[in-house]
């Protein structure tokens, strides 16, 4: 057993030192009726070669994005991850460390978190960010609860522009609390009226920008209207790369910004682990969920970092904590931070411009396909198209997959009970797409529709 | 104080490293991207960013060096012995990292047509199968992202089940005083109130006190087993019986499941729900704080309420059920985005099939053996909190430090100078100045012997009146003791340009 160092002689000697006849004697507190006398009837141990073979077989049953013209987004975007990111996060001192509870031997993790928090705050245009949440969806749910704590109100309004998983996760999280979630219909056309919902009892309005169907919005009027009634504006971001080109939520007046950060650094990995970004204004920091790294000095006066403001957290405050979160997404935060450091101001701007240009190029090509009508009036790197009244976008996507093309996500996958969304297809383009990919999609759609 | 009189401030391999913001130089690039194709008119509706983000520009060599140097200021399992109680710092197999990077698993989008991700669904289904078989439970909710998230998931299923059966008035959750802080916090997030139950002198739940607290308004008991003192709850069958007789459920915090994998099936203990920390029990890396995963096994009574999505065997192979209408059940909702911590699933499954039923049982046995070996080697110089054998971790309190002027914290910091990561300090809260040591099965006898010798030596030094040297520790780390009061009183949570600060 390659992961277990003891020989049988070691075990015998150790049992003797303990004064136990055998290992079973150490399990004496387990009720006899519940003890298993031998291993369960399940497969036995295997060597590296066998295990690798098993995974290679399972991997072979999938169509990986790199092997197909690929246009799926819907909250998770396929960006090129520079080679250095993965190499660096594999360093054992990062990979195999625990939460930095002993700061003297965790300055690496703590400085990374401080830099990560700084990058997230800059990117979102906010004053402070935490050290990460599980993912964008849970960060959104936490933002709703935080807005209720800050405003001492209970009504949360969820825009139809929000990612459907952000919506349903938030709805579930509020289910058995005193808070209530008000979900607006999905909004492919970008027409919803959030202003009409506002009132003195609203804790927050939660929107996504760019929206799930693509729309880019100037949120300043909405922010002003929220603030006029004492409500907070929570803004979710689907692709952090969009912030290289689009005005930041902070600059538009957001009070809390959440995002799915997985698209930078960590890679898609079938959707997990995610990386929840969470940022807010300084005045709300003590209501924030999650860990925070902060700057301080050591006994010799040298700059160092520690986890701080932990009196908000469950290990101190227990049932009165701002959240139950303990484990976060530290390694994904590291990956995000390395990727963003490699990009820098110049690279991020170029990446964002490139994504937008790619999406414009794809949309322009699609306009020439009979029956395809783009329906978003604005977008960053993703937009919704209408394929024709009687067309089932899900069937089209299946047919495309049969031809080896991963051609977007049908809106009905998220909203099966909205017949008007059946013909709606959501397509993303990033820097990873080639012009040949786009032409293959356009040609295939021309034949199918 | 160690010498810092070098010209650079560095000391050999201990190299000072600035923040990335202090390293940048505008115009440098760490990536090469093609020039964007020309766009006649953007589609941003006037929302183009007006001001720069403010990120520093670095080249790849600078970035690689920055993070390499930072990594060298960290202690990981790869560095040395990490007996952090309750956290299960066992070896993280590198095979798991290798297979998780196969493009056919890593380069997959969660919203690809299901026909193109059958292998990914098989990973989820296989892991679910193992977790069910190992625990003897009929169902498992795979999507919770971490232990606390799994607790909340299990409690949500309990709440949904009670509501469904006209028992919505059951809002009280019983939690022992020794519980992880996440337990009461998770209960509060389900709209439950928390009622704490005391322990007996032997470190276990006081069954009589528990019985007295049970009633028609109790939703469930939340109990960690083996508990946070590293002890198996001997009366667990009686506890389960009492809880069930009162119409409540039995939630088990599975943080310490690693002690009993393959030796006990938790279904045989009368447990209705338990989360499994894949990042502890099944050896996936902790990554400096995450990500983890907290799949939650459920009894048949709770299974219908498991959250979306989940994998089922259908006509066309494996099917991911994403909507309640397609589920044939009563899912309580959704706990996170997408389909769970897939990358963590791959790593846990790689560990599980590597170990097999025989290896998993041996790992639990060795974990318990190692903890008892530490206990045996230290019990005459430290002060064990409880009598008898422990499970996977051993708990001491600070009586052995009485009148020495040395605190648990000082003792832990001295261990850092000796090249070890300290044990868990001051948890659980039920003993004074707790020192909780969990060696895990990854450690060899020689490592344990060396550690025992060092801890014994430190204890003797403390008793001999060397408090000053403990107060000065650690001395050989990149930073010495940090001012946590300053950090909390005047929070500086991010870098700012100098003019702005």
């Amino acid at each position: 057993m390659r992961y277990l160092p003891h020989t049988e002689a070691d075990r015998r000697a150790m049992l003797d030192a303990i004064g136990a006849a055998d290992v079973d004697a150490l399990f004496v507190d387990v009720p006899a009726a519940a003890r298993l006398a031998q291993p369960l009837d399940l497969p036995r141990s295997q060597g590296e070669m066998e295990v690798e073979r098993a995974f290679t077989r399972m991997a072979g049953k999938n169509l990986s994005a790199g092997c197909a013209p690929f246009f799926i987004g819907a909250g998770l975007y396929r960006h090129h991850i520079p080679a250095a990111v993965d190499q660096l996060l594999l360093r054992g001192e990062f990979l195999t460390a625990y939460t930095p509870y002993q700061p003297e031997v965790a300055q690496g993790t703590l400085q990374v978190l401080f830099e990560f928090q700084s990058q997230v705050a800059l990117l979102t245009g906010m004053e402070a960010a935490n050290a990460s949440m599980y993912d964008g969806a849970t960060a959104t749910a936490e933002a709703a609860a935080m807005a209720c704590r800050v405003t001492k109100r209970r009504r949360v309004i969820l825009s139809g522009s929000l990612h459907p998983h952000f919506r349903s996760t938030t709805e579930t999280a509020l289910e058995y609390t005193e808070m209530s979630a008000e979900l607006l219909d999905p909004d492919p056309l970008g027409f919803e009226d959030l202003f009409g919902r506002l009132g003195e009892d609203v804790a927050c309005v939660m929107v996504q920008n760019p929206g799930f169907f693509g729309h880019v919005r100037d949120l300043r009027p909405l922010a002003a209207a929220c603030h006029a009634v004492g409500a907070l504006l929570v803004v979710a971001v689907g692709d952090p790369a969009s912030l290289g080109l689009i005005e930041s939520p902070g600059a538009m007046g957001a009070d809390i910004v959440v995002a799915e950060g997985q698209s930078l650094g960590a890679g898609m990995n079938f959707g997990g682990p995610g990386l929840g970004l969470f940022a807010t204004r300084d005045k709300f920091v003590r209501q924030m969920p999650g860990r925070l790294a902060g700057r301080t000095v050591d006994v010799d006066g040298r700059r160092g970092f520690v986890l701080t403001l932990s009196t908000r957290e469950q290990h101190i405050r227990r049932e009165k904590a701002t959240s139950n979160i303990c484990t976060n997404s530290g390694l994904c935060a590291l990956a995000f931070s390395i990727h963003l450091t490699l990009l820098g101001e110049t690279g991020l701007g170029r990446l964002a411009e490139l994504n937008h240009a790619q999406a414009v190029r794809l949309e322009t090509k699609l306009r020439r396909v009979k029956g395809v009508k783009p329906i978003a009036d604005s977008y960053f790197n993703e937009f919704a198209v209408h394929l024709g009244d009687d067309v089932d976008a899900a069937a089209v996507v299946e047919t495309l997959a049969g031809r080896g093309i991963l051609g977007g996500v049908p809106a009905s996958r998220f909203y099966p009970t909205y017949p008007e969304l059946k013909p709606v297809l959501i397509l993303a383009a990033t820097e990873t797409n080639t012009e040949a990919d786009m032409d293959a999609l356009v040609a295939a759609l021309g034949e199918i529709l | 104080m160690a010498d810092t009189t070098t010209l650079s401030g560095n000391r050999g391999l201990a190299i000072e490293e600035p923040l990335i913001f202090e390293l940048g130089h505008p115009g440098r690039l760490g990536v090469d991207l093609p020039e964007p194709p020309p766009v006649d008119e953007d589609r941003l509706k006037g929302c183009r960013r007006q001001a720069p983000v403010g990120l520093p520009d670095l080249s790849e060599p600078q970035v690689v060096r920055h993070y390499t140097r930072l990594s060298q200021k960290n202690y990981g399992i790869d560095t040395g012995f990490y007996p952090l109680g309750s956290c299960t710092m066992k070896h993280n197999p590198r095979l798991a990292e290798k297979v998780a990077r196969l493009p056919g698993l890593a380069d997959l989008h969660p919203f690809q047509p299901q026909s193109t991700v059958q292998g990914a669904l098989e990973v989820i289904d296989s892991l679910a199968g193992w977790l069910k078989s190992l625990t003897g439970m009929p169902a498992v909710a795979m999507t919770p992202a971490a232990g606390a998230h799994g607790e909340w998931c299990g409690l949500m299923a309990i709440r949904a089940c009670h509501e469904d059966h006209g028992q919505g008035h059951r809002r009280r959750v019983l939690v022992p005083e020794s519980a992880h802080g996440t337990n009461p916090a998770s209960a509060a997030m389900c709209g439950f109130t928390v009622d704490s139950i005391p322990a007996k002198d032997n470190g276990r739940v006081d069954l009589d006190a528990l019985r007295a607290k049970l009633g028609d308004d109790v939703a469930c008991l939340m109990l960690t087993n083996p508990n946070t003192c590293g002890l198996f709850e001997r009366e667990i069958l009686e506890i389960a019986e009492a809880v069930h007789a009162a119409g409540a459920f039995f939630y088990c915090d599975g943080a310490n499941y690693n002690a009993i994998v393959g030796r006990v099936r938790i279904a045989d203990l009368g447990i209705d729900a338990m989360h499994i920390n894949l990042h502890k029990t099944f050896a996936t890396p902790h990554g400096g704080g995450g990500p983890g995963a907290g799949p939650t096994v459920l009894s048949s009574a709770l299974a219908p309420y498991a959250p979306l999505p989940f994998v089922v065997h259908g006509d066309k192979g494996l099917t991911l059920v994403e909507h309640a209408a397609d589920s044939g059940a009563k899912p309580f909702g959704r706990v996170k985005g997408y389909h769970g911590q897939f990358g963590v699933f791959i790593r846990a499954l790689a560990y599980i099939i590597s170990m097999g039923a025989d290896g998993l049982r041996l790992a639990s046995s060795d974990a318990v053996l190692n903890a008892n070996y530490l206990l045996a080697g230290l019990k005459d110089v430290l002060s064990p909190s409880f009598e008898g054998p422990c499970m996977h971790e051993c708990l001491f309190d600070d009586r052995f430090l009485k009148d020495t002027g040395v605190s648990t914290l000082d003792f832990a910091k001295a261990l850092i100078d000796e090249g070890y990561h300290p044990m868990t300090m001051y948890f659980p809260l039920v003993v004074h100045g707790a020192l909780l040591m969990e060696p895990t099965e990854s450690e060899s006898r020689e490592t344990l012997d060396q550690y025992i010798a060092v801890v014994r030596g430190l204890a003797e030094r403390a008793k001999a009146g060397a408090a000053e040297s403990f107060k000065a520790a650690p001395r050989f780390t990149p930073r010495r003791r940090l001012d946590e009061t300053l950090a909390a009183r005047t929070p500086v949570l991010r870098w700012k340009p100098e003019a702005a600060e």
Side-chain angles (χ1 to χ4, degrees):
Chain A
M1 199 69 58
R2 60 189 178 274
Y3 307 139
L4 302 178
H6 293 334
T7 62
E8 276 311 310
D10 288 329
R11 293 190 179 97
R12 186 67 261 156
M14 292 169 74
L15 284 166
D16 289 345
I18 293 165
D22 53 25
V23 169
D24 292 346
L26 303 175
F27 286 84
V28 65
D29 289 331
V30 178
R35 280 181 225 159
L36 296 169
Q38 31 237 320
L40 291 161
D41 186 19
L42 293 166
R44 294 301 194 251
S45 56
Q46 299 190 48
E48 283 209 351
M49 283 189 293
E50 289 80 12
V51 177
E52 213 172 312
R53 206 174 288 140
F55 279 93
T56 303
R57 184 187 59 75
M58 288 190 278
K61 291 186 182 179
N62 301 319
L63 175 59
S64 67
C67 296
F70 179 89
F71 300 95
I72 303 176
L76 186 54
Y77 301 87
R78 186 167 185 263
H79 289 302
H80 172 74
I81 315 276
V85 175
D86 196 48
Q87 298 283 326
L88 288 166
L89 70 85
L90 273 173
R91 287 194 62 92
E93 303 92 326
F94 284 135
L95 187 74
T96 73
Y98 198 72
T99 302
Y101 290 137
Q102 296 285 351
E104 301 89 344
V105 286
Q107 285 299 299
T109 294
L110 286 160
Q111 183 169 333
V112 165
L113 292 178
F114 185 81
E115 292 176 349
F116 167 80
Q117 290 172 185
S118 306
Q119 288 170 316
V120 173
L122 286 165
L123 206 53
T124 55
M126 302 303 284
E127 289 162 346
N130 74 11
S132 79
M133 313 298 288
Y134 307 133
D135 69 358
T138 58
T140 306
E142 293 274 13
M146 174 173 150
C148 291
R149 285 194 297 276
V150 166
T151 59
K152 301 189 171 63
R153 298 177 184 182
R154 296 171 181 178
R155 204 174 138 216
V156 173
I157 295 174
L158 297 156
S159 157
S161 67
L162 269 181
H163 191 290
H165 285 185
F166 292 16
R167 282 156 56 97
S168 50
T169 302
T170 304
E171 188 185 19
T172 301
L174 301 192
E175 171 82 36
Y176 296 122
T177 68
E178 290 176 340
M179 302 172 273
S180 67
E182 220 167 286
L183 276 74
L184 277 69
D185 285 330
D187 185 33
L189 300 174
F191 286 163
E192 75 182 0
D193 173 27
L194 289 163
F195 294 86
R197 302 266 175 163
L198 280 170
E200 302 277 338
D201 60 342
V202 172
C204 67
V205 173
M206 311 187 88
V207 299
Q208 183 169 313
N209 199 40
F212 184 66
F213 295 95
H215 307 277
V216 182
R217 290 283 178 265
D218 182 354
L219 298 170
R220 273 167 276 232
L222 181 62
C226 286
H227 297 155
V229 295
L232 304 190
L233 177 64
V234 179
V235 179
V237 177
D239 185 351
S242 66
L243 296 170
L245 189 58
I246 295 173
E247 192 58 280
S248 73
M252 294 193 200
D255 299 287
I256 303 173
V257 181
V258 293
E260 176 52 71
Q262 191 187 344
S263 301
L264 289 187
M268 300 195 298
N269 298 306
F270 201 46
L275 171 64
L277 309 184
F278 197 110
T280 190
R281 304 201 173 280
D282 277 338
K283 62 181 174 186
F284 301 139
V285 157
R286 283 169 203 271
Q287 291 298 337
M288 246 185 162
R291 288 185 200 125
L292 288 165
R295 193 185 73 188
T296 187
V297 294
D298 77 353
V299 291
D300 298 323
R302 294 176 297 176
R303 179 172 74 184
F305 304 92
V306 291
L307 291 179
T308 192
L309 301 182
S310 55
T311 51
R312 302 162 298 117
E313 293 184 72
Q314 46 77 25
H315 60 281
I316 310 283
R317 193 60 63 84
R318 299 176 83 85
E319 66 267 31
K320 294 190 179 63
T322 54
S323 167
N324 69 339
I325 192 168
C326 178
T327 296
N328 62 11
S329 278
L331 200 67
C332 303
L334 170 66
F336 178 95
S337 195
I338 299 171
H339 192 166
L340 204 51
T341 304
L342 284 162
L343 286 167
E345 183 80 28
T346 306
L348 178 70
R350 191 173 295 180
L351 177 71
E353 292 280 3
L354 184 54
N355 271 256
H356 187 53
Q358 290 277 74
V360 171
R361 175 147 71 165
L362 178 64
E363 197 229 43
T364 308
K365 285 175 186 283
L366 285 168
R367 280 180 186 277
R368 293 186 215 124
V369 179
K370 191 166 153 284
V372 177
K373 262 196 307 217
I375 48 179
D377 60 11
S378 51
Y379 56 86
F380 168 60
N381 62 356
E382 182 171 37
F383 49 84
V385 297
H386 195 279
L387 299 179
D389 285 339
D390 303 320
V391 178
D392 177 4
V396 172
V397 165
E398 277 298 337
T399 309
L400 286 170
R403 297 180 179 208
I405 297 170
L406 294 170
V409 195
S412 62
R413 177 153 184 180
F414 307 99
Y415 295 112
T417 58
Y418 290 82
E420 69 273 25
L421 293 179
K422 207 172 171 187
V424 173
L425 179 64
I426 303 166
L427 290 153
T430 71
E431 75 281 8
T432 62
N433 291 113
T434 64
E435 184 143 21
D437 288 347
M438 295 185 193
D439 292 339
L441 174 71
V442 167
L445 277 176
E447 287 168 32
I448 295 165
L449 293 174
Chain B
M1 170 58 214
D3 181 27
T4 54
T5 56
T6 57
L7 295 170
S8 60
N10 302 326
R11 276 170 284 164
L13 279 177
I15 298 173
E16 291 295 306
E17 184 61 13
L19 296 167
I20 49 172
F21 301 96
E22 297 156 350
L23 290 167
H25 185 82
R28 279 192 187 127
L29 259 179
V31 294
D32 287 311
L33 289 165
E35 280 299 321
V39 173
D40 295 341
E41 191 187 342
D42 76 37
R43 311 293 204 275
L44 302 173
K45 228 183 173 182
C47 295
R48 191 173 268 273
R49 178 180 269 283
Q50 295 303 308
V53 177
L55 297 171
D57 282 346
L58 284 78
S59 60
E60 180 177 306
Q62 291 178 293
V63 174
V64 169
R65 193 168 284 164
H66 176 71
Y67 289 98
T68 301
R69 287 178 174 180
L70 289 186
S71 76
Q72 291 173 327
K73 300 178 195 299
N74 260 13
Y75 194 103
I77 307 167
D78 288 2
T79 315
F81 187 40
Y82 212 126
L84 191 64
S86 193
C87 300
T88 314
M89 299 303 281
K90 61 167 78 176
H91 172 66
N92 303 137
R94 290 315 196 270
L95 174 64
E97 296 303 317
K98 185 177 181 188
V99 296
R101 284 166 173 76
L102 290 171
L105 296 173
D107 199 13
L108 294 182
H109 194 286
F111 299 137
Q112 288 183 214
Q114 295 192 17
S115 58
T116 68
V117 292
Q118 286 293 302
L121 298 180
E122 189 180 333
V123 168
I124 298 175
D125 189 58
S126 303
L127 179 61
W130 273 98
L131 298 179
K132 287 187 284 187
S133 300
L134 289 169
T135 57
M137 300 290 274
V140 58
M142 291 298 287
T143 52
H149 206 217
E151 290 169 16
W152 175 71
C153 171
L155 293 177
M156 287 293 284
I158 287 169
R159 175 88 194 246
C161 182
H162 280 319
E163 296 281 345
D164 199 27
H165 289 84
Q167 296 288 304
H169 57 281
R170 290 181 176 271
R171 300 281 176 83
R172 192 155 55 94
V173 172
L174 305 181
V175 182
E177 289 162 351
S178 59
H180 298 111
T182 51
N183 290 189
S186 298
M189 287 171 65
C190 295
F192 289 134
T193 58
V194 177
D195 196 356
S196 100
I197 47 173
K200 287 189 296 193
D201 290 345
N202 68 5
R204 275 99 173 167
V205 166
D206 184 332
L207 185 55
D208 292 331
L210 168 67
R211 284 204 176 102
K213 292 258 187 184
L214 284 166
D216 184 43
D217 62 334
V218 172
C220 70
L221 165 72
M222 284 186 98
L223 180 66
T224 310
N225 186 57
N227 68 27
T228 58
C229 302
L231 303 171
F232 198 94
E233 291 286 349
R234 282 177 203 142
E235 295 179 304
I236 192 158
L237 297 178
E238 291 79 5
I239 290 171
E241 197 183 332
V243 168
H244 290 152
F249 287 106
F250 182 2
Y251 186 90
C252 181
D253 178 331
N256 296 336
Y257 177 52
N258 60 303
I260 58 172
V261 178
R263 299 201 65 107
V264 185
R265 292 188 308 172
I266 64 125
D268 299 333
L269 301 174
I271 287 162
D272 297 294
M274 180 183 87
H275 71 265
I276 299 169
N277 305 71
L278 298 184
H279 49 293
K280 295 182 181 177
T281 300
F282 296 117
T284 74
H286 286 80
T296 304
V297 290
L298 299 169
S299 63
S300 54
L302 296 175
Y305 307 95
L308 296 164
F310 47 81
V311 177
V312 297
H313 292 254
D315 303 339
K316 291 186 245 169
L318 295 168
T319 303
L320 185 74
V321 176
E322 297 180 282
H323 296 281
D326 307 327
S327 70
K330 304 171 183 175
F332 72 72
R334 167 179 279 282
V335 302
K336 74 181 291 295
Y338 316 124
H339 322 316
Q341 302 284 70
F342 184 70
V344 181
F345 296 165
I346 299 171
R347 289 166 175 85
L349 183 61
Y351 172 79
I352 287 174
I353 65 177
S354 290
M355 298 297 278
D358 49 338
L360 290 169
R361 181 180 164 95
L362 193 55
S364 314
S365 306
D366 279 356
V368 171
L369 176 69
N370 281 0
N372 279 284
Y373 189 70
L374 281 191
L375 180 59
L378 295 172
K379 65 183 175 188
D380 59 323
V381 289
L382 305 190
S383 28
S385 298
F386 302 105
E387 290 286 314
C390 60
M391 296 303 287
H392 62 297
E393 57 194 352
C394 50
L395 176 63
F396 303 92
D397 51 50
D398 62 4
R399 280 170 296 155
F400 77 102
L401 293 172
K402 191 165 185 291
D403 301 329
T404 61
V406 176
S407 66
T408 291
L409 177 77
D410 301 329
F411 199 80
K413 298 300 183 193
L415 266 171
I416 292 177
D417 274 341
E418 299 290 344
Y420 294 103
H421 194 284
M423 64 292 277
T424 289
M425 316 175 299
Y426 302 106
F427 180 85
L429 308 174
V430 290
V431 302
H432 197 269
L435 302 97
L436 185 64
M437 302 179 190
E438 179 177 11
T440 85
E441 69 277 13
S442 306
E443 301 303 332
S444 68
R445 189 177 158 206
E446 302 90 280
T447 300
L448 300 178
D449 284 339
Q450 285 166 5
Y451 173 77
I452 288 168
V454 167
V455 172
R456 293 184 70 91
L458 287 177
E460 278 154 24
R461 197 182 287 171
K463 288 169 189 171
E468 284 315 305
S469 74
F470 283 87
K471 298 284 175 207
R475 291 168 296 163
F476 307 127
T477 43
R479 288 292 179 269
R480 297 179 63 224
R481 287 198 206 186
L482 292 134
D483 188 343
E484 303 201 8
T485 310
L486 171 70
R489 196 191 308 128
T490 321
V492 178
L493 307 175
R494 58 171 287 195
W495 170 88
K496 283 180 185 160
E498 262 172 39
E501 207 172 316

